[in-house]
Amino acid sequence: MRFGHFDDERREYVIDRPDTPLPWINYLGTEAYFGIISNTAGGYSFYRDARLRRLTRYRYNNAPMDLGGRYIYLRDEAEFWSPTWQPTQTELDDYECRHGLSYTRVASRYRGIKAETLYFVPLGETLEVWRLKVTNERDTAVSLSAFSSIEFCLWDAQDDATNYQRNFNTGQVEVVDGVIYHKTEYRERRDHFAYFACSEPLAGFDTSREAFLGPYRSWDRPLAVERGESGDSIAHGWQPHGSHHVKLTLEPGETREIGFVLGYWENPRDAKFDPPGSQTINKAGAQAKVATWLAQETVDAGLAALAARWEELLGGLRVQTPDADTDRMVNIWNAYQNMVTFNMSRSTSLYESGIGRGMGFRDSNQDLLGFVHMIPERARERILDIAATQLPTGGAYHQYQPLTKRGNNDIGSGFNDDPLWLILGVSAYIKESGDWSILDEPVPFDNAPGSEQSLYEHLKLSLRYTTERLGPHGLPLIGRADWNDCLNLNCFSDTPGEPFQTTENATGGVAESVFIAGQFVLAARSLAELAVHKDDDPAAYLTAAEKMTGSIAEHGWDGAWFRRAYDFHGNVIGSASNDEGQIFIEPQGMCIMGGVGLDDGTAVRALASVRERLATPHGIVLQQPAFSSYRIELGEISSYPPGYKENAGIFCHTNPWLMIAEAMVGNGDGAFDYYKRINPSAREEIGDLHRCEPYVYAQMIAGRDAPTHGEAKNSWLTGTAAWNYAAVTQWILGIRPELSGLRIAPVIPSSWSGFSAVRRFRGATYTITVQKEPGVSATSCSLVVDGVPVDGGVLPVAPAGSSVQVEAHLS
Ligand code: BGC
Ligand code: NOJ
């Protein structure tokens, strides 16, 4: 069952009923001011940091799920309703939400009144614009009231949700010329405030939530709206709120527009008050923004500028294949999701509350894969930020905070895969950009001034971190965990509520990870490639990779697949000899991506085992059999009921590794088959089962052991976005940046007769046409570049600004 459809032309997803199985959200903002917005206008906004600079309040895990947002109420002489359906849930005559690239439009019709609200954040601004367009389609004139409504958050979202003994006393506002200023704590240590303005003369306003809603009422029947009159309330403590009341009379056929601007403003410390010495906010800057963004021409221009920005970003790669799901994900939604994960990391979605997590060391390095071709300069900046948090041991903090850029151990430390991701991230960046200079950048350790060494030295140290921490089988020690945060082999937690990732670890020096072993081989080979350009000797890295490959063959191969790990006691995990958890997906993907088993048939054997034992129609599960009980020696992985999350859920992040592995062994049909199983657009038809948005990847789809097999959770902020993008564009379509240039090596389904693509690469534009006899699996590719045959599969790097025509023939 579908709840909407794709409008590929306009790059929008159109939702045609408000009661989607879950709120289906979109993101507003691309730089510093951000928000999430659901298909019924729920959500909230923040400036830079979703925890510390939260503008509006939102209550997660509410009933209904999505309550609190950017609401507008309309009222005629007879009744009132929400043109975005929530919160009154009045049955609308028609409804349509269009989630576009950084904007959302919700339109509806109710008893002849058409209302459409557009929400977006203009480029370069720290504010959001709402534009409400109301049309009277009745045959008589109508007197309408429009009420806006937002609830201010007292800035620190965590404190706001917990510290009521203080917070019910601090709220303060000012209202001047119809603009509502929220200035809680401005009188003391904050230099920032929020403002909420309306383009029309006001019939009234409210800034006290209780005055607006009325005692014991909720958002579905605010007292002010019900009686058609605001209270002109001024909040003192309790819950500061923002509501404007506008009255308008519309002739039949007449349309009126009302603009709203909600913004964030920061004043210099010495210019906070006007007049100086008073307690009144200096509003000059904010007033100028209000005047600018309430003007309709500015709004139109702002919207056009936003569209142009996306046109430019998405111009990095456009493809045309025989498959519509592939095209719209690659050309629009997957790329869009990659940019969202770049901005949000894992902080703000319907499942990430915006208060918990910073930028993950491992997550951010992997996210790079999805956006480096769109914004290489930002990828460079990101890499240097991440590397500056690396510890002098070569180890890593697991995360850093975006506002301070300092690493912390809040969600654990000592995840032994972390440092190796830096090598893979840097390698991806140089392959895309050709910018070798990044390796010479001086980068501190743990942000300590004076500790700077070149980024290249950081990478060498990352590799050494692993070789200095090997276990009894010559495999890397797992530390707190590896990519699988929930494989906690040194943890032994028996205390309810204790966080698995931060609780004290036992010091064993025994638990090893085959996943990190595979990752090490990949990273060591990547570093060897970089070494050649640094006049460093690659031999040592290649030898280390060989040695690790040997340890994997000896102790990491189980006969039909790669094992997963050895536990604290030296017992094997991920082996046919185990009762549960016999085969895991991660080492199959990572070892093969590292090149392990490609020359001796073990890779192909492991892939057959995956298909046999882990693949389901909804994607590949993480392991089998699921753990049926809690196992103290394994930790969080066995804490989930079977089929969910790391306990045999379809943890989508790992699926593209298998697509890549299939492509590496030349199995285009197999790779593409896995791709389609989790491609959200291809799952649109089963929206009532999948439940999450059909336009973005979710972290998890319930596995075959779960009663809800096929149900997705944790959409938007997941490494799945970047990895799927890499898998389909670089390995299936085979347009792959390498250090020497762009490789063209498609491994496409046998039924295809080819595809075409336009790829921007190091400033040049390559128009690529791939052709193949339909019905055959191709194993080789010959290239003709601007009419001249080229050997070796890699396109010569063309001068920036030039256009290159590429014809590829697969046979
Ligand atoms: C989740 C993991 C996540 C970890 C982050 C766990 O509860 O299952 O997916 O990586 O938390 O700390
Ligand atoms: C989500 C985390 O963000 C990621 O870092 C981790 O690798 C996966 N969960 C698997 O546990």
Side-chain angles (χ1 to χ4, degrees):
M1 175 179 175
R2 292 173 192 241
F3 297 84
H5 63 273
F6 287 91
D7 183 339
D8 294 331
E9 196 71 19
R10 295 171 62 163
R11 298 180 180 147
E12 291 173 337
Y13 190 79
V14 188
I15 302 168
D16 45 38
R17 49 188 288 182
D19 55 342
T20 44
L22 292 163
W24 284 0
I25 69 163
N26 192 15
Y27 286 79
L28 306 178
T30 54
E31 296 155 328
Y33 183 106
F34 297 102
I36 57 172
I37 182 161
S38 72
N39 54 311
T40 57
Y44 61 92
S45 301
F46 60 95
Y47 172 72
R48 285 195 192 279
D49 185 311
R51 172 173 167 188
L52 297 175
R53 295 282 191 281
R54 183 84 65 100
L55 268 87
T56 55
R57 185 173 288 151
Y58 190 73
R59 291 171 193 79
Y60 280 95
N61 202 358
N62 218 327
M65 270 287 262
D66 184 32
L67 194 59
R70 302 171 183 83
Y71 293 143
I72 287 168
Y73 300 84
L74 290 179
R75 182 185 193 284
D76 62 12
E77 292 86 348
E79 57 180 318
F80 64 89
W81 69 98
S82 299
T84 56
W85 190 63
Q86 277 275 68
T88 66
Q89 297 190 5
T90 310
E91 201 168 317
L92 300 164
D93 297 329
D94 61 39
Y95 156 95
E96 180 186 89
C97 166
R98 289 179 172 261
H99 282 320
L101 303 179
S102 305
Y103 66 86
T104 286
R105 238 182 252 277
V106 189
S108 66
R109 217 179 243 105
Y110 183 63
R111 290 180 39 244
I113 305 298
K114 189 176 163 204
E116 179 190 293
T117 318
L118 161 75
Y119 302 89
F120 77 105
V121 175
L123 294 176
E125 301 292 348
T126 62
L127 56 85
E128 65 189 68
V129 173
W130 313 357
R131 184 164 67 183
L132 168 68
K133 223 192 255 185
V134 193
T135 305
N136 178 13
E137 293 181 346
R138 296 180 187 171
D139 46 19
T140 52
V142 63
S143 291
L144 288 177
S145 274
F147 292 85
S148 63
S149 168
I150 52 156
E151 192 182 2
F152 291 110
C153 179
L154 308 187
W155 299 114
D156 178 341
Q158 167 95 333
D159 188 71
D160 180 74
T162 48
N163 192 6
Y164 303 113
Q165 60 79 27
R166 170 180 163 82
N167 294 340
F168 286 166
N169 300 283
T170 55
Q172 288 193 303
V173 298
E174 288 178 33
V175 181
V176 177
D177 297 334
V179 182
I180 296 167
Y181 297 87
H182 173 230
K183 62 168 191 177
T184 299
E185 292 186 342
Y186 187 78
R187 60 184 295 286
E188 27 116 355
R189 292 158 298 172
R190 294 191 184 276
D191 310 323
H192 44 266
F193 60 88
Y195 56 92
F196 189 32
C198 172
S199 62
E200 305 305 299
L202 300 187
F205 63 85
D206 269 302
T207 69
S208 147
R209 187 183 82 192
E210 196 177 21
F212 178 71
L213 295 181
Y216 290 94
R217 287 169 174 246
S218 186
W219 307 98
D220 56 340
R221 45 183 201 113
L223 188 60
V225 180
E226 191 178 275
R227 75 175 170 230
E229 201 178 309
S230 297
D232 293 350
S233 58
I234 296 290
H236 301 285
W238 297 110
Q239 301 89 1
H241 183 258
S243 173
H244 309 96
H245 176 197
V246 175
K247 286 187 172 166
L248 54 162
T249 304
L250 294 181
E251 295 304 322
E254 189 183 349
T255 298
R256 286 275 296 278
E257 296 202 356
I258 307 177
F260 298 93
V261 172
L262 171 63
Y264 171 92
W265 190 260
E266 234 171 69
N267 273 331
R269 280 246 147 130
D270 57 1
K272 277 175 65 168
F273 300 105
D274 180 21
S278 74
Q279 292 292 298
T280 318
I281 314 175
N282 170 3
K283 307 177 182 66
Q287 277 164 344
K289 289 295 175 196
V290 166
T292 307
W293 288 102
L294 284 179
Q296 197 176 315
E297 319 74 69
T298 330
V299 173
D300 291 336
L303 204 56
L306 190 61
R309 172 84 182 127
W310 276 111
E311 182 69 27
E312 161 72 16
L313 285 171
L314 299 185
L317 174 64
R318 287 181 208 285
V319 303
Q320 204 179 351
T321 75
D323 184 65
D325 300 315
T326 302
D327 287 4
R328 69 166 64 102
M329 288 310 292
V330 171
N331 293 336
I332 307 169
W333 295 99
N334 196 167
Y336 182 53
Q337 188 179 3
N338 293 340
M339 288 300 292
V340 171
T341 50
F342 162 69
N343 281 318
M344 299 290 134
S345 190
R346 304 294 176 269
S347 75
T348 310
S349 70
L350 206 67
Y351 312 88
E352 301 283 6
S353 64
I355 53 184
R357 302 218 265 163
M359 315 286 297
F361 193 96
R362 108 163 47 100
D363 292 337
S364 298
N365 275 303
Q366 294 173 82
D367 288 349
L368 272 172
L369 291 171
F371 67 81
V372 61
H373 70 293
M374 290 187 273
I375 43 166
E377 60 298 337
R378 301 295 301 280
R380 187 181 211 273
E381 205 178 298
R382 179 62 59 84
I383 286 172
L384 297 176
D385 286 348
I386 301 169
T389 68
Q390 191 175 24
L391 297 164
T393 57
Y397 286 112
H398 203 41
Q399 70 166 7
Y400 70 96
Q401 292 314 120
L403 269 188
T404 61
K405 299 195 173 168
R406 296 293 160 121
N408 64 60
N409 289 329
D410 294 355
I411 55 161
S413 60
F415 296 82
N416 282 349
D417 64 314
D418 268 337
L420 294 173
W421 291 112
L422 184 63
I423 300 176
L424 301 175
V426 171
S427 161
Y429 168 73
I430 300 176
K431 285 176 176 169
E432 179 65 41
S433 64
D435 170 21
W436 289 94
S437 74
I438 194 172
L439 291 178
D440 300 322
E441 283 288 338
V443 181
F445 289 93
D446 198 3
N447 286 107
S451 66
E452 289 82 1
Q453 287 189 31
S454 71
L455 179 64
Y456 188 65
E457 290 301 320
H458 280 255
L459 301 190
K460 284 162 62 180
L461 201 58
S462 292
L463 205 68
R464 205 182 321 145
Y465 183 84
T466 305
T467 49
E468 285 173 353
R469 286 168 183 76
L470 298 178
H473 301 95
L475 297 166
L477 292 176
I478 196 168
R480 183 168 288 280
D482 57 23
W483 172 88
N484 189 332
D485 275 330
C486 299
L487 196 59
N488 313 125
L489 303 182
N490 296 304
C491 173
F492 300 95
S493 176
D494 58 4
T495 308
E498 192 171 63
F500 287 95
Q501 276 94 30
T502 50
T503 189
E504 191 62 36
N505 261 345
T507 42
V510 171
E512 297 166 295
S513 161
V514 180
F515 172 85
I516 302 181
Q519 189 195 13
F520 177 86
V521 176
L522 179 59
R525 290 185 172 153
S526 304
L527 191 61
E529 288 175 352
L530 301 183
V532 180
H533 286 254
K534 286 296 297 173
D535 288 333
D536 186 13
D537 184 4
Y541 311 128
L542 291 174
T543 308
E546 280 313 303
K547 200 164 161 214
M548 189 64 79
T549 305
S551 305
I552 296 174
E554 201 175 336
H555 303 290
W557 179 250
D558 200 60
W561 57 80
F562 294 100
R563 294 176 170 170
R564 181 61 178 87
Y566 287 90
D567 74 11
F568 182 85
H569 306 289
N571 297 319
V572 69
I573 300 171
S575 158
S577 62
N578 295 114
D579 60 340
E580 293 176 340
Q582 293 178 335
I583 169 170
F584 283 67
I585 190 172
E586 309 101 299
Q588 323 310 325
M590 195 44 89
C591 289
I592 299 172
M593 288 199 296
V596 181
L598 289 176
D599 50 4
D600 63 5
T602 50
V604 170
R605 184 72 194 85
L607 288 170
S609 299
V610 169
R611 195 162 287 275
E612 223 170 87
R613 310 183 84 181
L614 300 179
T616 81
H618 300 291
I620 315 168
V621 298
L622 194 138
Q623 105 265 7
Q624 283 290 284
F627 296 111
S628 56
S629 60
Y630 179 56
R631 301 192 178 210
I632 195 166
E633 73 283 8
L634 300 183
E636 187 171 2
I637 189 168
S638 59
S639 74
Y640 288 111
Y644 295 104
K645 292 278 279 183
E646 281 87 344
N647 189 12
I650 296 157
F651 213 99
C652 297
H653 185 140
T654 59
N655 280 220
W657 297 344
L658 274 294
M659 297 167 203
I660 294 172
E662 289 285 7
M664 289 175 88
V665 302
N667 183 5
D669 285 330
F672 192 69
D673 166 39
Y674 284 152
Y675 177 65
K676 288 285 279 200
R677 294 186 198 203
I678 64 166
N679 180 319
S681 163
R683 298 174 62 77
E684 189 190 18
E685 204 62 67
I686 51 165
D688 42 344
L689 173 64
H690 184 80
R691 301 187 84 223
C692 278
E693 298 91 332
Y695 41 91
V696 287
Y697 289 97
Q699 181 201 61
M700 207 269 309
I701 298 174
R704 66 158 77 106
D705 303 285
T708 59
H709 185 32
E711 179 190 38
K713 282 191 191 130
N714 300 4
S715 53
W716 280 101
L717 303 182
T718 160
T720 311
W723 274 109
N724 262 296
Y725 191 81
V728 65
T729 63
Q730 299 187 17
W731 293 92
I732 297 177
L733 302 181
I735 304 173
R736 186 157 72 244
E738 292 191 352
L739 293 172
S740 58
L742 200 56
R743 180 174 291 281
I744 307 297
V747 185
I748 54 179
S750 51
S751 61
W752 286 17
S753 56
F755 67 92
S756 61
V758 180
R759 174 67 150 90
R760 229 170 23 218
F761 182 70
R762 302 188 194 171
T765 303
Y766 298 79
T767 303
I768 304 162
T769 315
V770 177
Q771 284 178 326
K772 178 179 89 53
E773 198 69 41
V776 299
S777 297
T779 48
S780 71
C781 174
S782 61
L783 296 178
V784 177
V785 181
D786 285 336
V788 182
V790 164
D791 289 335
V794 177
L795 304 177
V797 179
S802 62
S803 296
V804 181
Q805 298 295 322
V806 181
E807 288 160 52
H809 292 273
L810 305 182
S811 53

